[in-house]
Amino acid sequence: MNDLNNNILSRLSLLMMISFLLAACGGDNDNDRYQGNPPSNQTPQLSPAVGAKIKKRCEQLGSFQYANTTITSATAEAAGAVTVAEKPIRAHCVVTGYMFPRISPIDGQEYRIGFEMRLPLDWSGRFLFQANGGFGGELIPALGYVGSGGPLTNALYEGFAVISSDMGHTLEQITTFGIDPQARLDYGYDSMIKLTPMAKQLIRFSYDKLPDRSYAGGASRGGNLALNAATRLPREYDGIYANSPSFEPPLSSIAQIYDFKELRKVATEIDETITAFTDAERKVVADSVLNKCDKLDGIVDGMVQDVDRCQSEFNIQRDVPVCQGERNGTCLSAEQIQVIAAVFDTPVNSKGEKFYVSEPYDPGIVGQKWANLKLAPLSALDRSAGVLGTVFETPPNLLGLERPSEYILNYNFDTDLIKLYRTDNTYKESSTAFMGPPDPLNVTPLTSRGGKIMVVHAVADGSTSEKESQNWYDQLLQRYSATIQNSVRFFRVPGMNHVSQGVATDQFDGLTALVRWVEYGEKPDRIIATARGPGNPSGDINSEIPSNWAPNRTRPLCPYPLIARYSGQGDSEKAESFNCAR
């Protein structure tokens, strides 16, 4: 099971590294971007889900019928056939199939929305739409993994019925599916809209009842899709869980190109941007950040909890040693400092107009996943260029397929960005529309009936900036006041890289916290996160944990804008010695 989780993370990381990963809220100060109605101070308390036993043998589920749906297999999986953290997952049925098969009139290819659904014999009464990440194209097992490192549980282990999807295309179509307008929409949001009612009817067919509580959750692009469920399907879901999500995914892929072109200016091997900011040089910057910011939360422990204050306390121009001669791994050249500052600052076009968000300085930049994503070489961007041009531009741009390096190196932030917002008679929705949740501040259709939203974001992300989620939540607070915290909460994970890993306590169970909030009214005032040192029960060890940390260090993840502050007494390796405070 650990290998399976690692494979899932690897696929997510690779797809995101090749430039898609999630997007932006617009600009750092774009507080008037979203529309919505203030939520009520009082929202109903939803009742807990009630479990049930499956009413049919697994093979009988193959006879399920639903419009535009074909079941291809229905098989039994014995208890313990799959595991999580070496724990056996209960016996369940595995149903695979597809919806809406068709031949595209645009490119002549066959498309269909593939799915896998796992239904426990002993069911909790809950349903999870497992929103997968990257560019889709494959069926990741519907185990209910929604992010964080070395998971100790997942939704299937907890008794959920879980569905996953390939988002409407195959891996072979991943660079070309954007030529078909419906395949674009299926990838953006339409596959979830089509699959959700079918999945619920399959649950009714299996258990003689609909799910009592329904959740959508995922990491990276999956987090974006979960947020789409919050606004596009607010009456179908009771809880939304998003790890390191995005709001307008096309823009972060372009920000990756921006970063590459900046880093190329100081790379010693021009198309290998890891040479622009080496492991040793990243440690120089990380140590400088710790020197200025580690103590801000009341204890020097190798972590920066006070993320916002750190951004004003640390100044890369002032606080990082400048090389007096050649670069030697103990300093940065003056030109390097200018480039790294531009990478962390908000990307702009030649007129100085911002098109993404800035990124926080955090010691987690020493993490390998941060480097894999932020310092992706030209060869990795080449592999994604066709996808960017065909999926996100209107009309589809084939240059990335035919001459990918030319597409990347000649990308014009003045004239090419507009293509992300275009529509025409064939492509009636722009990529910024079909990839982003509409009106992301209008949460009342979900929250007014007792639904909850929980967003978790890595601070040292390397792909999707934490500022995306923070800006969105700041706008929620500005528009709706602190009452929004009764229904929507945002948590930052200091030191964590995209979705997991990094120099962080990255092992936590946000989904269970969300269930307790939705069904029992237990507000998530803190989520306990653990480091994955030697002996971690998941068996998945994080080799980037410093040797002077306790291998099982814990920290509270605090609901923004609160941060974890050391209380001044007690074991500093344990979460109970920290308060969530301003």
Side-chain angles (χ1 to χ4, degrees), residues 408-421:
I408 298 296
L409 296 175
N410 293 331
Y411 195 90
N412 188 310
F413 302 105
D414 293 333
T415 59
D416 289 336
L417 275 173
I418 190 69
K419 299 171 185 176
L420 308 181
Y421 297 88

Side-chain angles (χ1 to χ4, degrees), residues 165-180:
S165 166
D166 63 9
M167 305 185 191
H169 56 272
T170 66
L171 283 175
E172 291 73 22
Q173 295 169 322
I174 206 164
T175 59
T176 60
F177 77 86
I179 296 172
D180 179 76

Side-chain angles (χ1 to χ4, degrees), residues 221-285:
R221 168 77 236 273
N224 163 270
L225 196 55
L227 291 170
N228 266 275
T231 50
R232 296 183 190 272
L233 296 169
R235 299 197 174 278
E236 295 286 348
Y237 290 97
D238 305 303
I240 304 297
Y241 181 81
N243 183 326
S244 301
S246 167
F247 293 84
E248 292 175 334
L251 294 178
S252 68
S253 63
I254 304 308
Q256 293 285 77
I257 297 176
Y258 178 91
D259 291 344
F260 171 80
K261 294 176 81 167
E262 286 294 314
L263 290 161
R264 200 167 181 256
K265 298 174 182 177
V266 292
T268 57
E269 297 178 37
I270 192 165
D271 292 330
E272 299 292 331
T273 44
I274 190 70
T275 65
F277 199 22
T278 66
D279 291 356
E281 291 166 340
R282 285 186 285 118
K283 188 175 187 306
V284 169
V285 175

Side-chain angles (χ1 to χ4, degrees), residues 76-135:
E77 193 93 308
V82 290
T83 63
V84 57
E86 302 182 358
K87 298 179 295 188
I89 290 177
R90 64 189 70 193
H92 58 277
C93 300
V94 183
V95 179
T96 61
Y98 58 86
M99 297 188 75
F100 291 94
R102 60 188 177 85
I103 302 296
S104 168
I106 305 299
D107 63 12
Q109 293 196 60
E110 181 181 358
Y111 292 97
R112 59 190 189 181
I113 302 168
F115 65 86
E116 176 182 286
M117 194 160 183
R118 298 192 179 224
L119 302 109
L121 304 191
D122 186 6
W123 176 50
S124 68
R126 301 183 180 100
F127 164 58
L128 175 74
F129 192 106
Q130 175 186 303
N132 296 333
F135 276 111

Side-chain angles (χ1 to χ4, degrees), residues 113 182 185-195 225:
I113 302 168
Q182 183 57 51
L185 301 185
D186 286 341
Y187 172 63
Y189 63 85
D190 219 13
S191 60
M192 172 178 268
I193 289 177
K194 293 168 179 173
L195 287 164
L225 196 55

Side-chain angles (χ1 to χ4, degrees), residues 43-44 238-240 446-447 450-454 486-488 514 517-518:
T43 56
D238 305 303
I240 304 297
L446 178 81
T447 60
K452 311 296 183 189
I453 302 172
M454 183 184 295
N486 294 326
S487 300
V488 186
L514 178 62
W517 191 15
V518 169

